[in-house]
Amino acid sequence: MKSNFFRGMSHGIPIALGYLSVSFGFGIKAVSVGLSVFSATAISATNLTSAGQAAGVDIIAVGGTLIEMILVQLTINIRYSLMALSLSQKLDGKFSLPHRLIASYGITDEIFAVCSAQKQKLTPAYMYGIILISAVGWVTGTALGAAARQLLPESVSSALGIVLYGMFMAIIIPPARKQRNVLLVVVVSALASILFRYVFTAVSSGFAVIISAVIASVTGSLLFPVSDTEESEQ
Amino acid sequence: MNIALYIAVMAVVTYLIRMIPFAFFRKKIKSRFFRSFLYYIPYAVLSAMTIPAIFYSTGSIVTAIVGTVTAFVLSYFNLPLIVVALSATATAFIAGLF
């Protein structure tokens, strides 16, 4: 039991370090749009997801509706359902319903990737180890970023507004460069988003992201349906 | 609207998305279209969130363009996430000094 927990923790260290930096960017962004350090940290502790949180903060900033918030979170985070589904099929017998209810909190892209790569069945202790250290990195980074945004001079903090977007680019550009199908999806989504920003301005920013992403993903799925091998490389 | 309400809604929706399949489903999704859709959606979402918002992220279009070009070039050459993000910030900051 204990050794599984520590094995999970050790597998979570690189994730935690990555999260520390990404969530630092989120903390800065959240405070920039008017949230408190406490709210920013609370969002990270309860959500544990990057893009969903960033979009959620945008909706809070403009006073969007709760329906919009629900639809945005559904669209951005629906991929976790597939990951959860996939992980549910390699769970150890020790994974009773209460354990499943707790561990599902921590299904993120990175934790999913590490868990799926495990040869043996997943135990609750292992997943708790990896989730705990990753979540600590995520929440700590957010608090530090949010606090830094409040303390730093205006010239530095305004430049830091770009940090989260820089990370998003670093996530999408390398696969878009390698795979034409991903490039197509990225370009279609960006073009649709530009149209909403400058032409169909009546559509709120949250819905603009949803509609652009759905149009682009449907286009990609119709023109280039992925095979099982591509999917597992994700 | 109360910010705690927004946070609660975000948290509950995000949790349910993860919890329902993890706790209750057992079968695999067979539809190739739906699996493709789920494969593409993270890239599409990040792209729509970044463009054109990144150009307004620093409060000055000029410094934002400098940062964006930096981020684009460095991520094109596969540099690590944190290097890309901090270099974009640093060049935007430097551009802001002029």
Side-chain angles (χ1 to χ4, degrees):
Chain A
M1 182 79 186
K2 223 173 191 172
S3 72
N4 270 328
F5 182 74
F6 287 115
R7 199 166 55 87
M9 292 251 282
S10 70
H11 290 180
I13 290 170
I15 300 179
L17 291 177
Y19 280 6
L20 205 56
S21 45
V22 177
S23 61
F24 192 87
F26 170 75
I28 289 165
K29 179 189 163 80
V31 170
S32 304
V33 300
L35 272 74
S36 67
V37 176
F38 177 79
S39 296
T41 312
I43 291 174
S44 279
T46 54
N47 282 264
L48 205 67
T49 175
S50 59
Q53 289 185 194
V57 159
D58 285 338
I59 292 173
I60 295 173
V62 299
T65 62
L66 289 177
I67 293 292
E68 187 178 1
M69 179 66 94
I70 291 170
L71 290 176
V72 164
Q73 297 305 319
L74 270 176
T75 313
I76 297 181
N77 293 333
I78 197 72
R79 67 183 189 283
Y80 293 136
S81 287
L82 188 78
M83 297 176 188
L85 207 60
S86 161
L87 288 184
S88 74
Q89 293 168 27
K90 59 178 295 174
L91 299 181
D92 187 83
K94 291 192 189 113
F95 247 114
S96 58
L97 185 62
H99 281 311
R100 289 177 187 233
L101 294 181
I102 299 169
S104 50
Y105 155 79
I107 300 168
T108 68
D109 304 71
E110 294 76 12
I111 291 172
F112 166 74
V114 172
C115 286
S116 349
Q118 296 308 301
K119 294 239 161 52
Q120 59 268 67
K121 296 257 179 193
L122 300 168
T123 61
Y126 175 78
M127 280 196 74
Y128 292 155
I130 192 168
I131 291 168
L132 178 68
I133 193 154
S134 305
V136 165
W138 186 248
V139 173
T140 308
T142 305
L144 291 176
R149 174 65 176 82
Q150 286 191 331
L151 298 174
L152 294 170
E154 180 59 32
S155 59
V156 178
S157 60
S158 61
L160 276 166
I162 203 170
V163 76
L164 199 61
Y165 297 108
M167 287 173 188
F168 290 166
M169 288 185 73
I171 295 171
I172 55 181
I173 288 176
R177 184 190 165 190
K178 273 199 307 196
Q179 297 164 253
R180 294 195 130 180
N181 52 351
V182 175
L183 177 64
L184 172 88
V185 168
V186 164
V187 169
V188 168
S189 193
L191 290 178
S193 172
I194 289 170
L195 272 182
F196 280 116
R197 175 82 185 212
Y198 301 108
V199 184
F200 307 113
T201 47
V203 181
S204 66
S205 63
F207 282 118
V209 168
I210 295 176
I211 300 168
S212 306
V214 169
I215 291 172
S217 297
V218 167
T219 308
S221 306
L222 291 174
L223 296 178
F224 303 102
V226 295
S227 58
D228 282 330
T229 45
E230 265 176 300
E231 213 176 326
S232 57
E233 278 167 19
Q234 191 184 17
Chain B
M1 209 180 310
N2 188 346
I3 190 152
L5 191 59
Y6 278 119
I7 297 178
V9 167
M10 278 173 81
V12 169
V13 174
T14 307
Y15 176 69
L16 289 178
I17 288 168
R18 291 163 163 154
M19 187 275 281
I20 292 170
F22 196 65
F24 302 112
F25 287 177
R26 298 293 147 103
K27 286 185 194 156
K28 219 187 157 187
I29 293 172
K30 291 220 176 73
S31 156
R32 195 174 179 202
F33 176 82
F34 190 53
R35 281 191 289 115
S36 304
F37 181 81
L38 291 172
Y39 173 79
Y40 288 127
I41 204 85
Y43 301 116
V45 164
L46 291 181
S47 179
M49 280 178 67
T50 305
I51 312 272
I54 190 170
F55 298 111
Y56 304 95
S57 63
T58 61
S60 144
I61 297 264
V62 176
T63 64
I65 288 175
V66 171
T68 305
V69 170
T70 308
F72 182 84
V73 171
L74 295 183
S75 39
Y76 189 83
F77 291 106
N78 264 323
L79 273 97
L81 225 69
I82 187 67
V83 174
V84 174
L86 291 182
S87 305
T89 309
T91 50
F93 171 75
I94 293 164
L97 297 178
F98 296 102

